[in-house]
Amino acid sequence: MDLIKRVPSKEDRRLKEIILTKKADSLRQEVFHDIDMLESRIISGIPDEQLQLWREVTERMIRNLNEDC
């Protein structure tokens, strides 16, 4: 799909840098846009206070899981 390309490193001629092509960058922007739209749709109509409570509860659940490791 030609999403990445290898180019010589400017700092070390032995190395190659892997960079995104314009096509990959365009796809990345589309994906981030789609994620933003989905997030807006998901939280639509939910008051900020409830979203904040959800975040706090979720963070606590994650901490609980990490304590057992």
Side-chain angles (χ1 to χ4, degrees):
M1 284 186 76
D2 298 323
L3 299 177
I4 60 171
K5 62 181 175 180
R6 295 174 50 171
V7 297
S9 171
K10 294 174 183 156
E11 297 162 5
D12 188 336
R13 293 186 329 180
R14 298 170 295 173
L15 302 176
K16 298 281 187 183
E17 295 179 8
I18 298 173
I19 61 171
L20 295 178
T21 63
K22 289 180 183 180
K23 182 177 181 180
D25 190 52
S26 177
L27 285 172
R28 182 185 62 81
Q29 289 178 19
E30 285 180 40
V31 168
F32 282 124
H33 174 74
D34 290 347
I35 289 169
D36 288 341
M37 297 300 290
L38 181 59
E39 183 180 79
S40 294
R41 186 173 169 197
I42 288 171
I43 65 173
S44 176
I46 301 174
D48 288 339
E49 299 82 24
Q50 289 182 351
L51 289 171
Q52 182 60 35
L53 177 60
W54 173 79
R55 288 182 185 104
E56 291 169 5
V57 170
T58 302
E59 287 172 3
R60 179 59 196 182
M61 294 167 97
I62 292 169
R63 282 197 307 271
N64 288 345
L65 288 173
N66 289 333
E67 287 174 3
D68 293 339
C69 295

